[in-house]
Amino acid sequence: MTDRSLPAGLRPETLAVRTAIERSQYGENSEALYLTTGFVQPDSETSAQRFSSGEGYTYSRTSNPTVTSFEQRLAAMEGTEAAIATASGMGAILLMIMGLLRAGDHVVLSRSMFGSTLNLFAKEFGKFGVETTFCSQTDVDEWRAAVRPNTKLLFAETPTNPLTEVCDIAALADIARAAGALLAVDNAFATPILQRPTQLGADIVMHSGTKYLDGQGRVMAGALCASHELITSKFAPIVRTAGMVLSPFNAWVVLKGLETLGIRVKAQCESTLAIARWLEAQPQVARVYYPGLPSHPQHELAMRQQNGLGGGVLSFQLAGDTPEAARAKAFHVIDSCRLLSIATNLGDTKTIISHPASTSHGRLSEEQRQAAGITQGTIRVAVGLEHIEDIQDDLLRGLTTLS
Ligand SMILES: *Cc1c(COP(=O)(O)O)cnc(C)c1O
């Protein structure tokens, strides 16, 4: 028979479409969905051997072929040896903490990270004696100074939500290496289309598959991508025991989402840049936050680190004399939209508009929000795949009728 295994040296676009476990005996062209909890064993001897070695399929909390396909494809796209899937992005962070840290260990994080991430470390794992220090997203010296003898992990997210602050992954990787700690990067915002953190020296890439990887707002998913050694020795045994597994159905949806990740993200980046430029020219808009704009404080770093792309999320600020006036203006612009969705989530084909001060960052005090640079007049737009002029028209409805 002719050799039908994938040739070596395939390019990322090809890997995104072709990487998966072997086809079944039916030769399906689209990957099969193995929606099953258990796997029938041919005989007791084989069963005993699979249970002891962990090879082959037995039970879907241990492994499932559809989930394996998703893990292999994501690892190929991130350029890591292996990956392990979880039920959500937060599940992936939980797995990382459980796999790498114990009481008395210390972690350095950016203070601009995803709110639930900050809570999980400081609040939930603070209870178990994991110590955390929060640093500026952009000041590398602050990270270096925060490292202690018991520092085991540096965890960064770039660009951040909602103000798109960019951190220097290679510089943080140097600090981690010098400290004998690991660097993990939350790549949910950027995706491997913009950046592959392990090529810049990171050890672990964390994903929320809920965002761009699915890309159509359908399922929750998460993953850690890393070396074969880290995945098999630190993470896989915990998923099996603790059970934060990805369901095969959700794995299948995200697996198929990965096939179009590149074209979706590139189109979203192109639209977001055009909308960011257009917003900068609107008289009602005080400031636009987008790494693709030369006015962004880390524009050069972002373009170098992110493959020349700014991403699919921007924020802008409406001027207001008081927080109350700014909030009223922001609500007016958001509520005037007839197309854009008022929703939580990002990376969807449908453009999503949100007011961070009353939603994702609503639990912070006004003072903490001001320190983070998020005001009552800040609006976030996660750009989808609608025609750009329809998105602009929708935003103009509110902008041109501000009192
Ligand atoms: C959404 C998100 C998460 C959490 O992912 P879930 O799948 O919602 O659990 C983590 N980090 C970033 C940057 C996110 O946007």
Side-chain angles (χ1 to χ4, degrees), residues 30-273:
S30 173
E31 293 76 16
L33 166 53
Y34 291 95
L35 196 61
T36 178
T37 46
F39 299 83
V40 178
Q41 306 300 310
D43 52 64
S44 304
E45 196 51 56
T46 313
S47 170
Q49 189 229 323
R50 284 182 187 167
F51 268 84
S52 64
S53 70
E55 282 161 21
Y57 292 100
T58 52
Y59 186 59
S60 282
R61 175 153 46 72
T62 307
S63 57
N64 173 285
T66 310
V67 177
T68 307
S69 281
F70 166 65
E71 291 167 340
Q72 290 182 356
R73 184 170 292 177
L74 184 62
M77 294 171 77
E78 280 292 354
T80 58
E81 287 172 2
I84 187 151
T86 54
S88 67
M90 293 315 302
I93 302 176
L94 172 65
L95 173 61
M96 185 164 72
I97 297 172
M98 289 181 71
L100 299 178
L101 304 171
R102 57 176 65 221
D105 286 346
H106 176 243
V107 185
V108 187
L109 301 165
S110 155
R111 86 174 61 86
S112 320
M113 291 183 87
F114 193 65
S116 302
T117 306
L118 299 180
N119 266 337
L120 184 60
F121 274 95
K123 199 159 143 244
E124 304 304 336
F125 275 85
K127 286 193 303 220
F128 296 112
V130 171
E131 299 164 17
T132 45
T133 301
F134 299 109
C135 288
S136 147
Q137 170 76 1
T138 50
D139 185 351
V140 174
D141 291 335
E142 228 184 275
W143 288 71
R144 196 175 291 114
V147 168
R148 303 185 202 152
N150 59 338
T151 303
K152 294 284 159 51
L153 180 68
L154 279 66
F155 189 27
E157 174 190 324
T158 181
T160 55
N161 181 27
L163 297 182
T164 69
E165 292 177 307
V166 174
C167 69
D168 188 335
I169 297 174
L172 296 185
D174 285 344
I175 295 173
R177 206 172 303 117
L182 298 176
L183 173 66
V185 175
D186 179 336
N187 211 23
F189 247 63
T191 81
I193 307 305
L194 271 66
Q195 70 198 9
R196 293 198 276 167
T198 56
Q199 297 200 331
L200 299 165
D203 303 284
I204 300 166
V205 182
M206 174 255 140
H207 267 290
S208 166
T210 316
K211 310 295 168 54
Y212 289 97
L213 306 190
D214 169 18
Q216 288 148 85
R218 300 166 297 190
V219 300
M220 311 285 305
L224 297 177
C225 305
S227 66
H228 189 69
E229 162 67 19
L230 271 179
I231 297 291
T232 54
S233 72
K234 301 283 186 197
F235 301 132
I238 293 174
V239 172
R240 258 172 231 157
T241 350
M244 65 285 263
V245 280
L246 181 60
S247 96
F249 181 82
N250 291 3
W252 182 79
V253 172
V254 186
L255 175 74
K256 303 307 284 181
L258 287 178
E259 294 182 8
T260 54
L261 182 71
I263 54 168
R264 280 188 284 107
V265 167
K266 282 176 202 152
Q268 283 164 313
C269 288
E270 197 178 310
S271 292
T272 313
L273 176 60

Side-chain angles (χ1 to χ4, degrees), residues 278-347:
W278 172 82
L279 278 171
E280 266 195 329
Q282 302 305 308
Q284 306 86 348
V285 174
R287 186 165 169 194
V288 182
Y289 301 84
Y290 184 64
L293 293 175
S295 60
H296 189 282
Q298 295 100 38
H299 174 66
E300 276 171 31
L301 167 64
M303 293 301 95
R304 182 158 31 91
Q305 183 166 278
Q306 296 175 190
N307 204 14
L309 299 169
V313 176
L314 63 80
S315 287
F316 63 99
Q317 212 168 297
L318 299 169
D321 300 335
T322 63
E324 293 73 30
R327 184 183 176 104
K329 285 186 177 184
F331 278 22
H332 175 78
V333 170
I334 293 170
D335 292 341
S336 300
C337 288
R338 288 161 55 186
L339 192 67
L340 308 197
S341 308
I342 305 174
T344 302
N345 202 12
L346 59 101

Side-chain angles (χ1 to χ4, degrees), residues 278 282 284 333 336 391-401:
W278 172 82
Q282 302 305 308
Q284 306 86 348
V333 170
S336 300
I391 299 173
Q392 289 167 338
D393 287 348
D394 219 37
L395 290 169
L396 267 183
R397 256 184 267 284
L399 286 174
T400 53
T401 53

